[in-house]
Structure formats: structure tokens, C-alpha cells
Amino acid sequence: MYDVIIIGGGPAGLNAAMLLGRSRRKVLVFDSGEPRNRWAKTMNGFLSSDGVNPQEFIQKGREELKKYGVEMLFKKVDSATYSKGQFVVDDEEGTVYHSRKLLLATGLKDNLPQLDGLEPLYGKSIHHCPYCDGWESRDKAIAVYGQERRGIGQALAMKTWSDSVTLFTDGTNSLNRADRELLQRNGVDICTTAIDRLEGEEGMLQHIVLKNGERREQQAMFFSLGTKQQSDLGEQLGCEFTSKGVIKTRRLQQSNIPGLYVAGDAARDMQLVIVAAAEGAKAGVSINMELQKEDRK
């Protein structure tokens, strides 16, 4: 019987594991090895770790946990249930584990544009988060991808980082007159022609080639097409979700299920690495306090 099982070995899960380990709790962390930012070259906006490689950051965190006796398994979890005051977790090999508390730090995955040539550029010159990668794209010719009306907000936001911003709606033409006037008033160019492919070298976007044969010079692209949960464990356990598809949590990361906590991108909050780590810390402290109350005679 573990005190806590943590599913997810990213910043949220590891930071929670550290505080729980320091609280002398018996902790098991599952890590499937598929973090949301695994395509990114650098991790930014995290004080003292700005610009580091995400995998190096995670590896350093794993090493720091060893002195606290935290166990780690590099496996996927297939199912989790709550029954009679304890959690039962089954891994992909059918092994069963039991814990008093459970923390989901399973994260999200991004819906990517279905564009030919995107894969080698994603995480290097094509991004979804301007706070993570906008600085590196400053003053470049920035493309914003969004069909129908989905790219308006991001296109306007990217003007903070560059004067050269173009909204590509990829063959859709749903912008109304007010949309066009707002974008033009703020210096955002509009291209509604369908995209044929992206061209670049060594991970850096160079051209967007349109279906009509035109080649537009662009040096970076941002998109925001929504996200989905990396794991269905929240659904399995009966968690409440928001309209945006993330799990509802209270102030200290508690879910609606007794003893079940959620931290990081899977929960509601800003989706930044430093915020995920902070949520993990909150969850770790909250879980330990709950265990302390239960242990009191």
C-alpha cells in the first residue's frame, strides 16, 4: 500500500513527488515518457531554468527524487478505480498497485494543424504558446494558423512580439466585416487561400506554399486548435470536467472524488511549466496534510 500514487512524470508530478518524499511518504510515480513538450528544444519562462532542454530538466528532477526514496516506473497506466477508501491502479502489463491517495498529472496533448511539412518544424519554429516561444520569434515574419474564425485572437496577440503577423485561414473564409476591420486596424495581414505545404530547413520555417502556387516567406508559425486529455483516467474515475475539457479542481488541486488530486495541464489553470510545477507543490502539501489528519490518533 502506497501513501500516494502519482500518474504523470512531468513538472507537476515530480514536484508533488518531491514534497511528498520530503514528508517521508511512500510514493510511486508512473511516467509514460510522452510529455506534451517533447518536441520542444527549450523550456522557457521558468526562473533559474529558462532556456534549458525539457528532457534535461525532467532528468534532473528524477535524479533529485532519488534521495527521498520516491519510486518511479516508466510504464503506462491502463486503469484506475476508487473503492472503499483506496485507489487501485493497473499498469499496461496488468500489475496492480494500491494507494491511499492518487494524483493525476497526466497532462494534455495539442490538436495540431494537418499540414504537409509540419512535423520536422514543430517545436522549433512552429509553436502553440506565445509565452513559451514568442520571445524566440520576436520581430520575425509570424504566421498564425486558424481556420474559420479560430485564429483571430492569437493573431492579434502575436503583435506583441512582431509587427509582421499574417493570419492564414487555410481555404476558409468565415471572417466577417468586423473581424477584417479589427485585424487590419491592428496591422494583421489576412490570407484565406488554402495551404499546400510548409517548407523549411533544420527545423526552421522558411515558406508557406499555397495551393495557387504562391510562396509566402514566413519564419515562424503559431496556432491554437485546442487540446485533449492525454489520458482517460479522469473519466474512468468520474471526475468533473470544465467546458474546455480540463478536470475541475478546487483551491488545493482537489477533484470531486475523495482523495483524488489533479495538477498540471490536465487541471484548470494556465498551461505553463512553472504553473504545473507550482500546482504539483500545492497538491503535494495538501495530500500530506490530509494523510496527517487520517494518521492522527
Side-chain angles (χ1 to χ4, degrees):
M1 174 69 72
Y2 289 92
D3 289 318
V4 189
I5 289 177
I6 298 172
I7 304 175
L14 294 182
N15 219 38
M18 174 176 280
L19 286 174
L20 288 161
R22 288 177 61 83
S23 301
R24 308 188 74 179
R25 296 299 177 183
K26 187 178 181 183
V27 181
L28 173 62
V29 179
F30 282 94
D31 186 351
S32 66
E34 296 180 341
R36 181 182 182 184
N37 64 355
R38 60 188 178 275
W39 290 278
K41 291 172 63 179
T42 59
M43 183 193 79
N44 304 301
F46 197 119
L47 192 64
S48 80
S49 295
D50 189 56
V52 305
N53 180 276
Q55 292 304 311
E56 291 176 6
F57 176 80
I58 292 299
Q59 187 55 43
K60 184 179 179 183
R62 291 171 183 166
E63 292 296 320
E64 289 176 348
L65 291 182
K66 288 180 179 178
K67 60 179 175 282
Y68 303 118
V70 173
E71 296 178 45
M72 291 203 67
L73 288 176
F74 298 99
K75 298 179 180 181
K76 289 184 178 180
V77 171
D78 281 346
S79 67
T81 56
Y82 175 69
S83 177
K84 297 179 181 178
Q86 67 172 266
F87 293 90
V88 181
V89 171
D90 295 69
D91 71 19
E92 59 189 344
E93 297 172 354
T95 308
V96 180
Y97 309 82
H98 301 264
S99 66
R100 297 167 65 186
K101 308 295 174 189
L102 183 65
L103 171 63
L104 295 183
T106 44
L108 300 173
K109 52 186 174 184
D110 295 283
N111 298 321
L112 304 182
Q114 299 302 301
L115 297 173
D116 185 27
L118 179 138
E119 188 173 343
L121 308 176
Y122 183 48
K124 302 176 182 69
S125 57
I126 297 180
H127 314 281
H128 64 270
C129 174
Y131 294 98
C132 303
D133 299 290
W135 170 261
E136 286 69 29
S137 304
R138 66 194 184 280
D139 298 326
K140 292 183 179 180
I142 295 176
V144 171
Y145 181 89
Q147 292 184 316
E148 309 298 346
R149 303 179 67 244
R150 286 194 290 267
I152 297 171
Q154 191 166 40
L156 293 168
M158 293 313 301
K159 291 291 291 185
T160 298
W161 287 273
S162 176
D163 287 332
S164 177
V165 177
T166 303
L167 171 61
F168 288 81
T169 64
D170 192 16
T172 61
N173 197 6
S174 299
L175 301 177
N176 59 40
R177 180 178 176 180
D179 296 334
R180 289 178 175 275
E181 289 178 353
L182 176 63
L183 291 164
Q184 290 166 357
R185 195 161 57 243
N186 286 278
V188 175
D189 293 328
I190 302 167
C191 177
T192 59
T193 308
I195 295 173
D196 181 63
R197 66 186 184 277
L198 308 178
E199 293 181 343
E201 290 183 5
E202 297 181 354
M204 304 312 295
L205 176 67
Q206 294 174 329
H207 296 96
I208 295 178
V209 183
L210 304 176
K211 292 282 189 184
N212 63 8
E214 184 183 354
R215 297 169 81 243
R216 295 283 191 101
E217 279 194 33
Q218 300 290 162
Q219 298 165 299
M221 176 184 279
F222 285 78
F223 66 90
S224 181
L225 303 183
T227 57
K228 50 193 166 192
Q229 292 282 329
Q230 285 261 32
S231 165
D232 67 353
L233 294 174
E235 269 185 87
Q236 288 185 31
L237 289 157
C239 290
E240 294 177 352
F241 287 78
T242 71
S243 59
K244 294 184 178 180
V246 294
I247 299 173
K248 286 185 179 180
T249 54
R250 299 200 290 276
R251 189 172 62 89
L252 294 176
Q253 307 308 131
Q254 308 100 318
S255 76
N256 59 302
I257 308 298
L260 174 62
Y261 292 72
V262 187
D265 291 353
R268 55 175 186 178
D269 212 326
M270 287 188 181
Q271 293 169 10
L272 297 171
V273 174
I274 196 164
V275 173
E279 287 184 357
K282 284 199 298 181
V285 170
S286 185
I287 290 169
N288 187 58
M289 290 173 66
E290 193 171 310
L291 289 168
Q292 285 173 336
K293 288 179 183 177
E294 292 175 7
D295 292 340
R296 250 170 234 149
K297 296 179 182 178

